[in-house]
Amino acid sequence: MNKKQQAAAYDSGHERGRPREFDVDKVIAATSNTFFQQGYHATSIDDLCKATGLARGSLYGVFGDKKKMLLAALELFTQGALTRLSDNLKSEPGREGIHKALLHYTRVATSVTRKRGCLITNTALEMLPQDEEISGKIEAVFRKMSALLADAIVQGQTTAAFNAGLDSKATANFLLCMIQGMRVVGKVYSERELKQVVALTLKILD
């Protein structure tokens, strides 16, 4: 949804017939943070109302139900995640871009505020493979991440930064698995330990 988009809704605490305007993306960000902290099943509609400052009718009026709120939260979260990955990979060509991207994950995976993991990873662990709709959403994100990594590998191969014999798609999937693994292992490992993993990974690409 457009960041400037606003929605009008009627809350029970407001004067009858008087709409309240709110920024939809800010509401999605608040629901995203709540799902991130508590997980989907443990989050109630009352929790989401408290986090967003909106009444049930307003939330249902914009999103439809709790499941759609999670889908909207995943969409907003993944847009940011894909943009950051793309920016890091493109900031420097080939090897240095991948190195920068991987170091980003060592930091966020081990930071005090991110010890709970990430919304994508946590949702995958909680809801897959039982929920086909969520599964499709997360698979699409992972495949986009892998495609970005594969492009960076090919670029590195053209400049002899990486082994020309590497299968770019398989190697990208390997890096994706490592990134998601750091998201989980970072709950208990230090940034220094994950940086050692990154250094070993780059040697594998030689």
Side-chain angles (χ1 to χ4, degrees):
M1 297 185 183
N2 191 297
K3 290 186 180 299
K4 294 182 179 179
Q5 183 177 357
Q6 291 187 326
Y10 292 87
D11 286 352
S12 59
H14 281 66
E15 181 180 342
R16 183 176 181 82
R18 184 177 179 181
R20 171 184 180 179
E21 288 190 344
F22 57 89
D23 186 301
V24 175
D25 277 359
K26 288 184 178 180
V27 171
I28 296 174
T31 62
S32 175
N33 186 57
T34 305
F35 287 131
F36 171 66
Q37 291 181 346
Q38 301 179 189
Y40 176 74
H41 291 107
T43 297
S44 67
I45 294 297
D46 286 340
D47 291 331
L48 296 172
C49 289
K50 182 178 180 180
T52 62
L54 298 176
R56 286 172 174 256
S58 298
L59 288 175
Y60 285 132
V62 175
F63 300 104
D65 56 32
K66 191 175 86 165
K67 177 74 165 296
K68 289 185 175 62
M69 294 177 205
L70 175 63
L71 287 169
L74 282 171
E75 179 66 24
L76 185 66
F77 186 91
T78 56
Q79 283 177 1
L82 290 170
T83 298
R84 282 189 296 274
L85 176 59
S86 179
D87 288 347
N88 282 329
L89 291 173
K90 292 178 179 178
S91 62
E92 298 181 63
R95 188 183 193 86
E96 290 307 313
I98 287 182
H99 189 206
K100 183 176 180 179
L102 295 180
L103 287 180
H104 165 76
Y105 292 109
T106 69
R107 290 191 298 272
V108 298
T110 58
S111 69
V112 174
T113 57
R114 304 308 286 277
K115 285 287 187 180
R116 292 183 299 272
C118 86
L119 182 63
I120 299 170
T121 306
N122 292 354
T123 303
L125 292 172
E126 180 182 2
M127 303 189 70
L128 271 56
Q130 293 84 358
D131 193 301
E132 293 184 2
E133 188 174 15
I134 297 296
S135 179
K137 170 71 71 175
I138 292 178
E139 179 184 357
V141 175
F142 284 164
R143 293 198 180 279
K144 288 177 182 178
M145 291 177 68
S146 183
L148 290 171
L149 292 164
D151 287 344
I153 292 165
V154 170
Q155 185 179 28
Q157 288 174 318
T158 62
T159 60
F162 298 139
N163 187 334
L166 291 173
D167 181 307
S168 61
K169 183 175 181 180
T171 306
N173 285 335
F174 161 72
L175 292 177
L176 176 64
C177 289
M178 197 199 74
I179 288 168
Q180 293 306 311
M182 286 199 295
R183 288 291 203 177
V184 177
V185 176
K187 293 173 181 288
V188 293
Y189 275 35
S190 68
E191 182 179 354
R192 180 184 62 81
E193 290 173 305
L194 293 189
K195 283 183 175 180
Q196 292 174 338
V197 174
V198 168
L200 179 60
T201 299
L202 290 175
K203 289 181 180 179
I204 293 173
L205 302 182
D206 290 339

